[in-house]
Amino acid sequence: MSPQPDTSVPDVVVVGAGPTGLMLAGDLAAAGVHAVVLDRNAEPVRIPKGNGVVGRAVLELRRRGLLRGTGLRVVRPPRFRFGPFTLRLGLLRGPLHVLPVPQHRLEGLLEERAVRLGATLRRGHEVTGFEQDGDGVTVRAAADGSPAELRARYLVGCDGARSLVRKRLGIGFPGVTSPDISRLARVTIPAGAVTRAGDHLELRGVGRLAPFRPNRTEHGSITIAPADALDRSAPHDLYIVSTHEPRGDSDPTDELGDEELRASLRRVLGAELPYTTAFAARSVVANSRHAQRYREGRVLLAGDAAHIFSAGGSAINAGLLDAVALGRALATVLRGAAPQAALDAYASQRHAAARRTLALTRLQVALEAGDETGEALREVLGELLHDRATARRIATLIEG
């Protein structure tokens, strides 16, 4: 069967319906640019991933009216985690803006806005290749087992860390892969097995754990947090847990069995975590990588396709800011108000911003290390962070 050409020619094809792709499509549509988003998944992904947005990206969401009427609340915390430390930012309000929101809900808000403003979302369309020339890009996809073809003036890869768009461009993605593995899940812990007491949790058979931060043990670390602290609609007995330990021969998987999860918790804690059921259990190996460039002619990269971070929860924040900058640049170029060099400005500016974020996240990883270097870093930086001005400076860098 030969590909059927699409009769409606979009200005921009966006690959990937994650937060970056949907934010970009919405901004383009708001500027009168016809954008089509292609995503290989037939339905939105419901696997719990990110839990919030931090920094200037929060202000961009609010500026677009995305939070109005949602019940979501932006906070400016007086304290914020940075690796193993707590940044003490001020008695009243810190310099950071924080929006607690599950990633799937954020994507729903971004999708509704993009479609309402005129963007087209085509799920179940897996991009298989593309070719560009002086006038545009021809994009090939597979939909329901049949080939499809679209023609656009520009193509943007927002298709994640394993980006097909980036790989087809031959753009390198150098960086570091962690020797450790993290196992993550949502678990139900009965009320009688856990007590929330101020700044800690008391768990039956385990003892005291600090929420929202790594609790280091001889064999790794565990992080635990009440889900309703991040999403007020979550059940009171639902907790987000993750273990971090040497990888060994384990490979990451999106379908982690309960036996493997419990075994990891026993190794790290030296005890049984008293949960009854687990949901959305998976394992991941952290990577810290940066694309060598963000543009090749009429094809551009944004979000995880351009950069991934190993700590700090920075992926969504950086991706949304990529979308804001790229949406503005593409709209001005397509309207004829700026030359194509404006796209080079996007690429250079956001490449530099991601490089700074990589430095901050890699520092947090180094601070968590259990070796002598990690101990030395914690000793020195721990002293410096007693100075509130230093803590606020780091928070300002995180804000973006």
Side-chain angles (χ1 to χ4, degrees):
M1 183 183 297
S2 60
Q4 297 299 311
D6 195 314
T7 55
S8 61
V9 179
D11 295 307
V12 180
V13 167
V14 178
V15 184
T20 302
L22 293 170
M23 180 75 155
L24 175 60
D27 278 12
L28 290 172
V33 174
H34 182 200
V36 172
V37 182
L38 305 179
D39 194 271
R40 66 180 182 178
N41 296 301
E43 300 291 337
V45 175
R46 303 292 295 180
I47 296 174
K49 292 184 178 179
N51 296 307
V53 183
V54 177
R56 190 164 61 85
V58 175
L59 304 182
E60 298 291 350
L61 294 172
R62 188 166 63 184
R63 187 173 293 125
R64 287 157 177 75
L66 278 155
L67 310 183
R68 195 175 301 124
T70 63
L72 297 173
R73 187 169 63 92
V74 177
V75 296
R76 296 181 66 185
R79 296 178 178 84
F80 194 77
R81 295 299 303 172
F82 184 75
F85 296 111
T86 297
L87 301 178
R88 301 185 185 280
L89 306 176
L91 297 177
L92 299 177
R93 296 187 302 173
L96 273 173
H97 294 82
V98 178
L99 175 68
V101 58
Q103 182 171 330
H104 67 83
R105 188 176 183 197
L106 174 63
E107 290 178 356
L109 294 171
L110 291 168
E111 178 180 336
E112 188 278 331
R113 170 183 179 254
V115 172
R116 173 171 47 81
L117 292 173
T120 302
L121 174 58
R122 297 183 182 175
R123 295 195 180 275
H125 283 63
E126 182 170 8
V127 172
T128 57
F130 58 87
E131 289 86 27
Q132 61 174 313
D133 52 44
D135 298 318
V137 186
T138 300
V139 184
R140 300 187 305 277
D144 295 326
S146 299
E149 193 172 277
L150 293 86
R151 179 75 175 170
R153 295 178 66 183
Y154 291 94
L155 171 67
V156 182
C158 302
D159 50 340
R162 297 182 178 89
S163 171
L164 177 140
V165 175
R166 187 191 66 244
K167 291 176 180 178
R168 290 298 174 93
L169 290 173
I171 294 176
F173 204 39
V176 178
T177 297
S178 172
D180 297 332
I181 189 168
S182 296
R183 295 175 175 86
L184 312 90
R186 263 64 171 171
V187 300
T188 300
I189 302 179
V194 59
T195 302
R196 301 186 188 184
D199 61 352
H200 69 274
L201 304 173
E202 196 73 35
L203 289 127
R204 185 181 65 208
V206 174
R208 178 176 295 191
L209 293 177
F212 300 104
R213 58 182 292 184
N215 295 267
R216 286 194 295 274
T217 72
E218 183 181 351
H219 301 289
S221 67
I222 177 172
T223 302
I224 183 168
D228 59 3
L230 301 168
D231 180 0
R232 285 179 290 179
S233 65
H236 191 67
D237 59 357
L238 186 64
Y239 291 78
I240 303 167
V241 298
S242 64
T243 61
H244 188 73
E245 58 181 325
R247 179 177 178 179
D249 296 329
S250 301
D251 291 322
T253 176
D254 287 335
E255 297 181 359
L256 182 68
D258 187 68
E259 182 177 341
E260 185 177 350
L261 175 64
R262 289 186 183 274
S264 178
L265 287 162
R266 279 194 302 271
R267 285 193 299 270
V268 171
L269 284 171
E272 294 282 347
L273 188 72
Y275 75 86
T276 55
T277 53
F279 312 88
R282 60 193 177 99
S283 59
V284 298
V285 172
N287 279 272
S288 177
R289 298 187 176 276
H290 197 193
Q292 292 174 327
R293 59 188 184 280
Y294 290 5
R295 181 189 176 202
E296 187 71 43
R298 291 179 174 269
V299 185
L300 301 107
L301 302 175
D304 286 0
H307 42 66
I308 53 175
F309 310 107
S310 55
S314 302
I316 293 178
N317 314 324
L320 291 176
L321 293 179
D322 284 351
V324 169
L326 182 53
R328 185 183 303 118
L330 278 171
T332 57
V333 170
L334 287 164
R335 287 197 303 262
Q340 284 198 28
L343 301 178
D344 287 329
Y346 154 78
S348 62
Q349 291 165 6
R350 291 307 301 162
H351 199 276
R355 189 166 58 248
R356 174 55 65 89
T357 303
L358 278 169
L360 286 171
T361 55
R362 286 171 174 170
L363 174 58
Q364 291 179 71
V365 171
L367 286 167
E368 294 283 4
D371 57 16
E372 292 182 357
T373 300
E375 292 176 5
L377 284 170
R378 287 191 291 273
E379 180 179 347
V380 173
L381 193 59
E383 292 179 6
L384 294 176
L385 290 180
H386 285 302
D387 177 8
R388 185 165 290 163
T390 303
R392 291 177 70 89
R393 173 58 179 160
I394 292 177
T396 301
L397 292 174
I398 295 171
E399 175 82 356

